Amino acid sequence: DTGVSQNPRHKITKRGQNVTFRCDPISEHNRLYWYRQTLGQGPEFLTYFQNEAQLEKSRLLSDRFSAERPKGSFSTLEIQRTEQGDSAMYLCASSLGPSRGNEQFFGPGTRLTVL
Amino acid sequence: GNSVTQMEGPVTLSEEAFLTINCTYTATGYPSLFWYVQYPGEGLQLLLKATKADDKGSNKGFEATYRKETTSFHLEKGSVQVSDSAVYFCAPLDLGNEKLTFGTGTRLTIIP
C-alpha cells in the first residue's frame, strides 16, 4: 500500500509565473485535502474534496488559487501569478472519512519558493 | 471555527525523562482530536487520536486523553528516547467540514 505522493517535491519559480502541483492519494481514499505550511507554523487548511466534489474552501485560498480533482483520484493545485508570500510547503492528505475515524494521511509535500 | 493552543517550544529533555506537551482547544461541538509528529526531514505522521470524551489514544509509548471538561488533549510519554526528537502538533478535527486545525507545533529535542 503506497502512501500519498506529491510532485514535484520542490519548485522554484519567479514572481508572476504560474505553478501546478499534483497529489496522488492513497488508493481508494475518497477524501483529499490540501494544506499549506509556512516555516515555524502548523499546516493551515486550504480545501477539501470528497470524490470529485470540492466541498470546502478556506478564505486563505484567493482567486489565484484553484484546485481540481477531475476523476475523484489525483488532484492538482494551481497558483496563478505567484507572489513571494506564496512561498510555503504545500501538503496533501487523504482519508476514508468517518468510516475510518477521519484519519488523514499526509504526503511529503511540495516546497514552493517564489523569487 | 476551531482553535488550538499548544505548549511553547522548544522543549529539551534528557533521555528517559517524562514528557508532557500541553494542548488545549476551543471548538463548537465535540471534535475528534489528533496528535501528529514531524520527524526531521520527513512528512507529517499521525501519532494518535481520540474521538470522544475520556477516550485515551496511544501509540509508540505516547498517550493522550480527551478531556471534555478542560478541553484539553495533553501528550505524555513516560520515558523519552533520542529518536522521539521531532515537532509535535495537536489538531482537533471539525467533523462538519473535516478540517484539521493545527497548533504551532512543539519542537522536542532529547539529549542522550
Side-chain angles (χ1 to χ4, degrees):
Chain A
D1 181 26
T2 58
V4 177
S5 62
Q6 292 186 246
N7 287 289
R9 295 291 306 275
H10 302 273
K11 179 71 177 177
I12 300 173
T13 191
K14 292 183 180 177
R15 191 175 50 188
Q17 298 294 304
N18 298 344
V19 294
T20 300
F21 311 141
R22 177 176 169 129
C23 170
D24 287 87
I26 293 171
S27 171
E28 297 180 356
H29 278 196
N30 59 346
R31 274 115 158 125
L32 188 148
Y33 313 82
W34 285 99
Y35 292 81
R36 180 171 68 186
Q37 185 177 20
T38 53
L39 205 59
Q41 300 298 314
E44 296 172 294
F45 173 84
L46 293 178
T47 190
Y48 146 56
F49 291 85
Q50 185 172 330
N51 299 311
E52 65 274 11
Q54 189 173 17
L55 297 186
E56 187 78 17
K57 201 171 164 179
S58 164
R59 284 175 227 155
L60 291 175
L61 225 57
S62 75
D63 291 345
R64 296 184 297 104
F65 287 71
S66 62
E68 294 183 342
R69 194 182 183 200
K71 296 182 181 178
S73 57
F74 73 91
S75 174
T76 57
L77 178 68
E78 181 183 16
I79 309 174
Q80 296 183 325
R81 305 182 303 283
T82 52
E83 301 173 356
Q84 287 186 323
D86 298 331
S87 295
M89 179 76 87
Y90 290 84
L91 299 171
C92 176
S94 69
S95 85
L96 285 168
S99 65
R100 286 297 300 273
N102 289 302
E103 295 177 2
Q104 294 185 19
F105 296 90
F106 283 80
T110 294
R111 182 170 295 284
L112 173 66
T113 302
V114 181
L115 301 176
Chain B
N2 297 344
S3 67
V4 181
T5 301
Q6 238 184 278
M7 182 174 173
E8 293 268 336
V11 173
T12 303
L13 294 172
S14 297
E15 205 165 20
E16 299 183 4
F18 183 85
L19 168 72
T20 300
I21 300 178
N22 291 338
C23 171
T24 57
Y25 65 90
T26 58
T28 51
Y30 302 107
S32 294
L33 300 173
F34 296 82
W35 276 99
Y36 280 83
V37 58
Q38 196 166 33
Y39 297 103
E42 298 185 19
L44 274 171
Q45 297 179 24
L46 176 63
L47 180 60
L48 54 83
K49 71 175 187 187
T51 58
K52 60 183 188 296
D54 300 325
D55 262 4
K56 179 185 282 188
S58 60
N59 186 26
K60 298 183 180 181
F62 290 90
E63 293 182 339
T65 301
Y66 191 141
R67 301 286 187 202
K68 188 176 76 171
E69 62 279 5
T70 54
T71 60
S72 64
F73 193 53
H74 304 321
L75 184 68
E76 296 182 336
K77 186 174 184 182
S79 176
V80 292
Q81 306 300 313
V82 172
S83 57
D84 294 326
S85 298
V87 181
Y88 292 80
F89 294 94
C90 179
L93 179 119
D94 186 320
L95 294 174
N97 60 18
E98 300 191 18
K99 165 186 159 182
L100 284 166
T101 299
F102 287 87
T104 53
T106 302
R107 181 175 298 278
L108 174 67
T109 302
I110 307 300
I111 52 177

